[in-house]
Amino acid sequence: MAKYSTGSSSGGGGTNCELCGAESDSLTQQTVAGAKLEVCSSCASHGDEAKSSASSSGSGRGQDEPNRKKKAAQNVAKANPVWDGDSEHWEKEGTNYDDDPLPYLVSDYGAVLESSRQDAGQTREELAEELGVPESDLLAIEQGRATQAGIGGGLIDALEERLDVELAE
C-alpha cells in the first residue's frame, strides 16, 4: 500500500481509488510514475504497464522518443557551427587576456561610452580611427558586449583618457 493511502490495507472491499479518489469495489494495483497505487478501472490506463503496452502497440512514440530527441539534438548541433568546439569565431586574433585583462566595468558602461562619444561630437567611426581600433570593438562596448567581444583593458583605458569618462570600477 502507498504511504498516503486513502484505501484499506486489506486490498479490497469498498475502498477509494488512490489516484482520483473515486469509491470502487474493484480496485487493481498499478504502478503510476513509479509508485504502487490501488486504482479504479478508469485510472488503470494511467499505470506504467498500460502506457508501455500502448506505446509498443502502435502509437509510435514511447520507445522511439529518446532516439527522436537525440537525433534532433544532433541535427541542431550540425546546423550550428558555434557548437563545433572551435572558439575561433569569438576569440580575436592576437588578444592576450593575461597581458591585457578587461577590468571590472561600471554597470552601464555602454550607455556611458555612447553618451560621452556623442557629447564629444564624434562618430563611432571617427573615434575608432583616432584610437586605431576596429569600429566593431567600439560598437561592442557601446552595446555592453565588451567581455564577449574580447575587448582588452588597454582600449578601455584609452577610451577613458580620450573621452574623460569612467568606464572601469
Side-chain angles (χ1 to χ4, degrees), residues 52-129:
S52 66
S53 66
S55 67
S56 63
S57 66
S59 73
R61 291 186 67 114
Q63 295 173 344
D64 291 338
E65 191 67 23
N67 290 336
R68 288 180 60 233
K69 287 181 180 180
K70 183 177 179 181
K71 191 165 212 146
Q74 289 171 341
N75 288 339
V76 168
K78 284 181 199 172
N80 194 342
V82 172
W83 296 330
D84 66 1
D86 181 16
S87 62
E88 188 176 312
H89 66 277
W90 60 269
E91 218 173 64
K92 294 168 59 172
E93 178 107 8
T95 301
N96 187 334
Y97 299 103
D98 294 330
D99 291 341
D100 192 18
L102 182 66
Y104 288 107
L105 301 173
V106 296
S107 62
D108 55 347
Y109 67 91
V112 170
L113 174 61
E114 185 174 13
S115 175
S116 298
R117 176 184 54 77
Q118 290 171 348
D119 289 347
Q122 286 193 300
T123 66
R124 197 176 300 119
E125 182 180 2
E126 292 169 342
L127 183 58
E129 187 176 318

Side-chain angles (χ1 to χ4, degrees), residues 3-50:
K3 184 174 182 179
Y4 299 106
S5 172
T6 57
S8 69
S9 60
S10 62
T15 59
N16 292 340
C17 172
E18 293 181 321
L19 200 54
C20 71
E23 193 169 319
S24 175
D25 290 331
S26 59
L27 297 177
T28 59
Q29 190 170 38
Q30 292 284 332
T31 303
V32 180
K36 292 190 184 297
L37 303 175
E38 289 187 15
V39 297
C40 65
S41 58
S42 299
C43 294
S45 63
H46 297 293
D48 294 345
E49 295 86 17

